Amino acid sequence: MATLKDVAAKSGVTVTTVSRVLNNRGYISEETRDKVYLAMKELNYQPNEIARSLSKQKSNNIGIIVPHIEHPYFARLIGYLEREAVKKNYKIILCNSHAKFEKEIDYLEMFQSHRVAGIILCSRSVDIGKFVSLNIPVVSIERPVDVGTTSVECDNYQGGILAAKHLIARGCRHLVHFSGIENEAMPADARSKGFIKVCEDNNILHKEVESKADDYLNMEYHSLIESVLKENPEVDGIFASSDLIAAQVIQVARKMNIQVPDQLKIVGFDDVSIASLVSPTITTIHQPIKEMAQEAINCLIKCTEDSVVPSRIQLPVSLIKRETT
Amino acid sequence: MATLKDVAAKSGVTVTTVSRVLNNRGYISEETRDKVYLAMKELNYQPNEIARSLSKQKSNNIGIIVPHIEHPYFARLIGYLEREAVKKNYKIILCNSHAKFEKEIDYLEMFQSHRVAGIILCSRSVDIGKFVSLNIPVVSIERPVDVGTTSVECDNYQGGILAAKHLIARGCRHLVHFSGIENEAMPADARSKGFIKVCEDNNILHKEVESKADDYLNMEYHSLIESVLKENPEVDGIFASSDLIAAQVIQVARKMNIQVPDQLKIVGFDDVSIASLVSPTITTIHQPIKEMAQEAINCLIKCTEDSVVPSRIQLPVSLIKRETT
């Protein structure tokens, strides 16, 4: 493999000059620059990014931790994060914590050893105090964490309000909300609060059903949904905290011969591809995932430049009306 | 941040000894090892992986290029690749080529600069000859490439045979196959061949419909499907080259008041989560995605160890019967 020295020899300049061209440092004449580039091209010279990272004590990688790569919400989020990172000349190292606290800690330590430029955390709340003190910027998405970091989220509370208001306006009087995982702080908690507030203000009967951590990891809610629908035959409206759950409500209703939307109306959350791929298509709360990814990457880069960044960014949600209501 | 020197001072041994403990090299007594580990723990010492990579001229990252992070097939594949890589102490750098040839080349060059341990290529066929010559192992998944690399794929031809046989056994006499992207070599091509072979052997009327590259990138096939169903009202069986297309066939059929499976039977491909999340659930050809990910990571690691690896690994598929047939 060609080295800096080979490039210098071929272009007839010193190694220092080649290094200056590479790092765009100091005055270099147009002519010299062209000579060096030509030599690099002819020798198929590839700068050693590892050596460059070592001299900077920092790489241009962004570490991302998600709880669940295959969940449709995270699949879409990762897609947008990668796109935004690449635009700014960063690459992503992707880690799947399977929502395990110990795996998150392992990954955070690994990111530290690899001198990542920044970390995007979409997983549980962990004590990231020590990472902040090490000057690795951390941005969390949909999981507000400690002070000293930036959190990007959608207006989950407003999402709960929009969902409940819409179901009530469509004539529902007995609502069930499939919310987050029991005993765990989730973005779904604020959705519940907004939902319950509207139900109480309108004297609407309502029930909140939490799921188990395993249901979330396995993306499997059918038996939970079936038992709730059997125990509550009067239910005429459901607010699901993800489109994934909403899709499974449609399937269980079909199995139990409950007509959607005539007998049962459903509102999901996220607005990922599955919402428009199932039949009937799912009315849902749209999360601005693309914009959230942009904000997260921008904040991270601002942090690396020591600019002042917001500690919390909340983006608005909207109701997308489709066939389940 | 604590250095190797600090650890040596604290544990009362030389820097060389600490380095030996870290790299598990040479004879070190149990007692010394414990002292060093204790000092590392107390000082919160984090080895600098960048420096280690430089001395090895290789990192423990595996570069992965997919055409489409959010496509349900790739979302699942990435999940399994990450899991297998982590088991073997590797991390993944994930890149999305959006099926653009130029982006693939950029990413491959970037991987080379970063001295990745290996590359997994799930994107288009590119001329990777120069990467092979640079001794970076390359494994392709579902996209056979040049000689000198390993390709892992499922038995796509057999998949086409199983799908056609099943539709015919269920009474279908006019089949349509939504295959890959026009003018592009895709794994779907072998599926078509198997499908057409069975139709010809059984004298069954059949038609192959290719899609546009944009349909694939946007995951949007509704208008294509609708025009095909309108122009071919006699069609009673469809073989879709992905579950994503099959889900959209269900939606279009519903809109056109065609009963599935009574009037139209559908077989998908992949067996990703969407196949069991839509109503009716989709009969599909199961790809052993988990096993394919395992084979790919294992081959890559064997390559880095200079072991002999297969040049092609083909895994069997199976038909999963669900409600669309």
Short mmCIF file of all heavy atoms in Angstrom, two decimals, chain B residues 248-283:
data_model
loop_
_atom_site.label_atom_id
_atom_site.label_comp_id
_atom_site.label_asym_id
_atom_site.label_seq_id
_atom_site.Cartn_x
_atom_site.Cartn_y
_atom_site.Cartn_z
N GLN B 248 -48.87 -5.08 -0.16
CA GLN B 248 -49.52 -4.05 -0.98
C GLN B 248 -50.52 -4.68 -1.96
O GLN B 248 -51.51 -4.06 -2.31
CB GLN B 248 -48.46 -3.19 -1.67
CG GLN B 248 -47.60 -2.48 -0.63
CD GLN B 248 -46.63 -1.46 -1.21
OE1 GLN B 248 -46.82 -0.91 -2.29
NE2 GLN B 248 -45.57 -1.18 -0.45
N VAL B 249 -50.26 -5.93 -2.38
CA VAL B 249 -51.23 -6.64 -3.22
C VAL B 249 -52.54 -6.82 -2.42
O VAL B 249 -53.64 -6.61 -2.95
CB VAL B 249 -50.69 -8.01 -3.70
CG1 VAL B 249 -51.78 -8.80 -4.42
CG2 VAL B 249 -49.48 -7.82 -4.60
N ILE B 250 -52.42 -7.17 -1.15
CA ILE B 250 -53.62 -7.33 -0.30
C ILE B 250 -54.41 -6.02 -0.27
O ILE B 250 -55.63 -6.01 -0.41
CB ILE B 250 -53.22 -7.73 1.14
CG1 ILE B 250 -52.56 -9.12 1.16
CG2 ILE B 250 -54.44 -7.71 2.07
CD1 ILE B 250 -52.06 -9.53 2.53
N GLN B 251 -53.70 -4.90 -0.10
CA GLN B 251 -54.38 -3.60 -0.01
C GLN B 251 -55.09 -3.23 -1.31
O GLN B 251 -56.22 -2.76 -1.30
CB GLN B 251 -53.36 -2.51 0.33
CG GLN B 251 -52.82 -2.65 1.75
CD GLN B 251 -51.95 -1.46 2.11
OE1 GLN B 251 -51.02 -1.13 1.40
NE2 GLN B 251 -52.27 -0.83 3.22
N VAL B 252 -54.41 -3.48 -2.43
CA VAL B 252 -55.01 -3.14 -3.73
C VAL B 252 -56.22 -4.04 -3.98
O VAL B 252 -57.28 -3.58 -4.45
CB VAL B 252 -53.97 -3.27 -4.87
CG1 VAL B 252 -54.63 -3.09 -6.22
CG2 VAL B 252 -52.85 -2.25 -4.67
N ALA B 253 -56.10 -5.33 -3.65
CA ALA B 253 -57.21 -6.27 -3.85
C ALA B 253 -58.43 -5.80 -3.03
O ALA B 253 -59.56 -5.79 -3.53
CB ALA B 253 -56.79 -7.67 -3.41
N ARG B 254 -58.18 -5.37 -1.81
CA ARG B 254 -59.26 -4.91 -0.93
C ARG B 254 -59.96 -3.70 -1.57
O ARG B 254 -61.19 -3.62 -1.62
CB ARG B 254 -58.63 -4.52 0.41
CG ARG B 254 -59.62 -4.23 1.51
CD ARG B 254 -58.89 -4.14 2.84
NE ARG B 254 -59.80 -3.87 3.93
CZ ARG B 254 -60.05 -2.66 4.41
NH1 ARG B 254 -59.47 -1.61 3.87
NH2 ARG B 254 -60.90 -2.50 5.41
N LYS B 255 -59.17 -2.78 -2.08
CA LYS B 255 -59.71 -1.57 -2.71
C LYS B 255 -60.56 -1.94 -3.93
O LYS B 255 -61.58 -1.31 -4.21
CB LYS B 255 -58.52 -0.70 -3.13
CG LYS B 255 -58.87 0.69 -3.59
CD LYS B 255 -57.60 1.46 -3.99
CE LYS B 255 -57.92 2.59 -4.96
NZ LYS B 255 -56.72 3.09 -5.65
N MET B 256 -60.12 -2.98 -4.67
CA MET B 256 -60.83 -3.38 -5.89
C MET B 256 -61.90 -4.43 -5.61
O MET B 256 -62.46 -5.01 -6.55
CB MET B 256 -59.81 -3.93 -6.91
CG MET B 256 -58.84 -2.87 -7.43
SD MET B 256 -57.52 -3.60 -8.47
CE MET B 256 -58.48 -4.16 -9.90
N ASN B 257 -62.17 -4.68 -4.32
CA ASN B 257 -63.18 -5.67 -3.93
C ASN B 257 -62.89 -7.08 -4.44
O ASN B 257 -63.80 -7.81 -4.83
CB ASN B 257 -64.57 -5.24 -4.42
CG ASN B 257 -65.23 -4.38 -3.36
OD1 ASN B 257 -65.18 -4.72 -2.17
ND2 ASN B 257 -65.82 -3.28 -3.80
N ILE B 258 -61.62 -7.43 -4.46
CA ILE B 258 -61.23 -8.80 -4.82
C ILE B 258 -60.96 -9.53 -3.50
O ILE B 258 -60.17 -9.05 -2.67
CB ILE B 258 -59.94 -8.80 -5.69
CG1 ILE B 258 -60.18 -8.00 -6.99
CG2 ILE B 258 -59.49 -10.22 -5.99
CD1 ILE B 258 -58.92 -7.72 -7.78
N GLN B 259 -61.63 -10.66 -3.26
CA GLN B 259 -61.48 -11.38 -2.00
C GLN B 259 -60.19 -12.20 -1.98
O GLN B 259 -59.94 -12.99 -2.89
CB GLN B 259 -62.66 -12.34 -1.78
CG GLN B 259 -64.04 -11.66 -1.74
CD GLN B 259 -64.14 -10.60 -0.66
OE1 GLN B 259 -63.68 -10.82 0.46
NE2 GLN B 259 -64.70 -9.44 -1.01
N VAL B 260 -59.40 -12.00 -0.93
CA VAL B 260 -58.20 -12.82 -0.68
C VAL B 260 -58.50 -13.72 0.51
O VAL B 260 -58.96 -13.23 1.53
CB VAL B 260 -56.98 -11.92 -0.37
CG1 VAL B 260 -55.75 -12.77 -0.03
CG2 VAL B 260 -56.69 -10.96 -1.51
N PRO B 261 -58.36 -15.03 0.41
CA PRO B 261 -57.77 -15.80 -0.69
C PRO B 261 -58.80 -16.38 -1.68
O PRO B 261 -58.37 -17.04 -2.63
CB PRO B 261 -57.10 -16.95 0.06
CG PRO B 261 -57.98 -17.20 1.24
CD PRO B 261 -58.59 -15.88 1.61
N ASP B 262 -60.11 -16.12 -1.46
CA ASP B 262 -61.11 -16.80 -2.30
C ASP B 262 -60.91 -16.54 -3.80
O ASP B 262 -60.90 -17.48 -4.60
CB ASP B 262 -62.53 -16.37 -1.88
CG ASP B 262 -62.82 -16.80 -0.45
OD1 ASP B 262 -62.06 -17.64 0.08
OD2 ASP B 262 -63.78 -16.30 0.15
N GLN B 263 -60.78 -15.26 -4.17
CA GLN B 263 -60.63 -14.97 -5.60
C GLN B 263 -59.17 -14.82 -6.03
O GLN B 263 -58.83 -15.00 -7.20
CB GLN B 263 -61.35 -13.65 -5.92
CG GLN B 263 -62.85 -13.72 -5.73
CD GLN B 263 -63.46 -12.31 -5.79
OE1 GLN B 263 -63.54 -11.63 -4.79
NE2 GLN B 263 -63.85 -11.89 -6.98
N LEU B 264 -58.32 -14.46 -5.07
CA LEU B 264 -56.91 -14.23 -5.39
C LEU B 264 -56.04 -14.78 -4.27
O LEU B 264 -56.23 -14.44 -3.11
CB LEU B 264 -56.67 -12.71 -5.53
CG LEU B 264 -55.27 -12.28 -5.99
CD1 LEU B 264 -55.01 -12.67 -7.44
CD2 LEU B 264 -55.12 -10.76 -5.83
N LYS B 265 -55.11 -15.66 -4.65
CA LYS B 265 -54.18 -16.21 -3.66
C LYS B 265 -52.82 -15.55 -3.82
O LYS B 265 -52.43 -15.20 -4.94
CB LYS B 265 -54.08 -17.73 -3.81
CG LYS B 265 -55.42 -18.40 -3.47
CD LYS B 265 -55.41 -19.89 -3.60
CE LYS B 265 -56.74 -20.45 -3.14
NZ LYS B 265 -57.94 -19.84 -3.79
N ILE B 266 -52.12 -15.35 -2.71
CA ILE B 266 -50.86 -14.60 -2.74
C ILE B 266 -49.77 -15.33 -1.97
O ILE B 266 -50.01 -15.80 -0.85
CB ILE B 266 -51.04 -13.19 -2.12
CG1 ILE B 266 -52.20 -12.43 -2.77
CG2 ILE B 266 -49.75 -12.37 -2.21
CD1 ILE B 266 -52.68 -11.21 -1.99
N VAL B 267 -48.59 -15.43 -2.58
CA VAL B 267 -47.40 -15.95 -1.88
C VAL B 267 -46.33 -14.86 -1.91
O VAL B 267 -46.06 -14.28 -2.96
CB VAL B 267 -46.85 -17.23 -2.55
CG1 VAL B 267 -45.54 -17.67 -1.87
CG2 VAL B 267 -47.88 -18.36 -2.48
N GLY B 268 -45.76 -14.56 -0.75
CA GLY B 268 -44.71 -13.55 -0.66
C GLY B 268 -43.33 -14.20 -0.64
O GLY B 268 -43.17 -15.38 -0.95
N PHE B 269 -42.33 -13.42 -0.25
CA PHE B 269 -40.95 -13.93 -0.13
C PHE B 269 -40.27 -13.17 1.01
O PHE B 269 -40.51 -11.99 1.19
CB PHE B 269 -40.17 -13.71 -1.42
CG PHE B 269 -39.07 -14.73 -1.65
CD1 PHE B 269 -39.25 -15.77 -2.54
CD2 PHE B 269 -37.87 -14.66 -0.94
CE1 PHE B 269 -38.25 -16.73 -2.75
CE2 PHE B 269 -36.87 -15.61 -1.13
CZ PHE B 269 -37.06 -16.65 -2.05
N ASP B 270 -39.43 -13.83 1.78
CA ASP B 270 -38.61 -13.28 2.88
C ASP B 270 -39.03 -13.84 4.24
O ASP B 270 -38.22 -14.24 5.03
CB ASP B 270 -38.63 -11.74 2.98
CG ASP B 270 -37.96 -11.06 1.80
OD1 ASP B 270 -37.19 -11.73 1.08
OD2 ASP B 270 -38.22 -9.86 1.59
N ASP B 271 -40.34 -13.79 4.53
CA ASP B 271 -40.85 -14.13 5.86
C ASP B 271 -40.30 -13.17 6.91
O ASP B 271 -39.70 -13.58 7.90
CB ASP B 271 -40.55 -15.59 6.25
CG ASP B 271 -41.38 -16.02 7.46
OD1 ASP B 271 -42.40 -15.38 7.75
OD2 ASP B 271 -40.96 -16.97 8.14
N VAL B 272 -40.52 -11.87 6.69
CA VAL B 272 -40.18 -10.87 7.70
C VAL B 272 -41.45 -10.52 8.47
O VAL B 272 -42.54 -11.00 8.14
CB VAL B 272 -39.54 -9.61 7.07
CG1 VAL B 272 -38.13 -9.95 6.60
CG2 VAL B 272 -40.37 -9.06 5.93
N SER B 273 -41.32 -9.67 9.50
CA SER B 273 -42.43 -9.48 10.43
C SER B 273 -43.73 -9.05 9.75
O SER B 273 -44.82 -9.45 10.16
CB SER B 273 -42.05 -8.51 11.54
OG SER B 273 -41.55 -7.31 11.00
N ILE B 274 -43.62 -8.26 8.70
CA ILE B 274 -44.84 -7.76 8.06
C ILE B 274 -45.73 -8.92 7.56
O ILE B 274 -46.96 -8.80 7.57
CB ILE B 274 -44.51 -6.78 6.91
CG1 ILE B 274 -45.80 -6.14 6.41
CG2 ILE B 274 -43.79 -7.43 5.75
CD1 ILE B 274 -45.60 -4.76 5.91
N ALA B 275 -45.13 -10.04 7.20
CA ALA B 275 -45.91 -11.18 6.68
C ALA B 275 -46.92 -11.67 7.71
O ALA B 275 -48.01 -12.11 7.37
CB ALA B 275 -44.98 -12.32 6.26
N SER B 276 -46.57 -11.58 8.99
CA SER B 276 -47.53 -12.04 10.00
C SER B 276 -48.24 -10.88 10.68
O SER B 276 -49.04 -11.08 11.59
CB SER B 276 -46.85 -12.95 11.03
OG SER B 276 -45.50 -12.65 11.18
N LEU B 277 -47.99 -9.65 10.24
CA LEU B 277 -48.65 -8.49 10.87
C LEU B 277 -49.83 -7.97 10.06
O LEU B 277 -50.61 -7.17 10.56
CB LEU B 277 -47.64 -7.35 11.06
CG LEU B 277 -46.71 -7.49 12.25
CD1 LEU B 277 -45.66 -6.39 12.22
CD2 LEU B 277 -47.48 -7.47 13.56
N VAL B 278 -49.95 -8.36 8.80
CA VAL B 278 -51.07 -7.86 8.01
C VAL B 278 -52.23 -8.85 8.08
O VAL B 278 -52.07 -9.98 8.55
CB VAL B 278 -50.67 -7.62 6.53
CG1 VAL B 278 -49.64 -6.51 6.43
CG2 VAL B 278 -50.14 -8.90 5.90
N SER B 279 -53.40 -8.42 7.65
CA SER B 279 -54.58 -9.28 7.63
C SER B 279 -55.10 -9.35 6.20
O SER B 279 -55.36 -8.30 5.63
CB SER B 279 -55.67 -8.70 8.52
OG SER B 279 -55.15 -8.34 9.78
N PRO B 280 -55.31 -10.51 5.62
CA PRO B 280 -54.89 -11.82 6.12
C PRO B 280 -53.36 -11.94 6.15
O PRO B 280 -52.68 -11.26 5.39
CB PRO B 280 -55.49 -12.78 5.08
CG PRO B 280 -55.66 -11.96 3.83
CD PRO B 280 -55.93 -10.57 4.29
N THR B 281 -52.87 -12.84 7.03
CA THR B 281 -51.41 -13.04 7.11
C THR B 281 -50.92 -13.70 5.82
O THR B 281 -51.66 -14.42 5.15
CB THR B 281 -51.06 -13.92 8.32
OG1 THR B 281 -51.83 -15.12 8.25
CG2 THR B 281 -51.37 -13.21 9.62
N ILE B 282 -49.65 -13.44 5.49
CA ILE B 282 -49.14 -13.80 4.16
C ILE B 282 -48.41 -15.16 4.13
O ILE B 282 -47.45 -15.37 4.87
CB ILE B 282 -48.17 -12.70 3.65
CG1 ILE B 282 -48.90 -11.35 3.60
CG2 ILE B 282 -47.58 -13.07 2.29
CD1 ILE B 282 -47.99 -10.17 3.32
N THR B 283 -48.89 -16.05 3.26
CA THR B 283 -48.13 -17.27 2.95
C THR B 283 -46.85 -16.82 2.25
O THR B 283 -46.90 -15.97 1.35
CB THR B 283 -48.94 -18.16 1.99
OG1 THR B 283 -50.12 -18.59 2.66
CG2 THR B 283 -48.12 -19.37 1.54
#
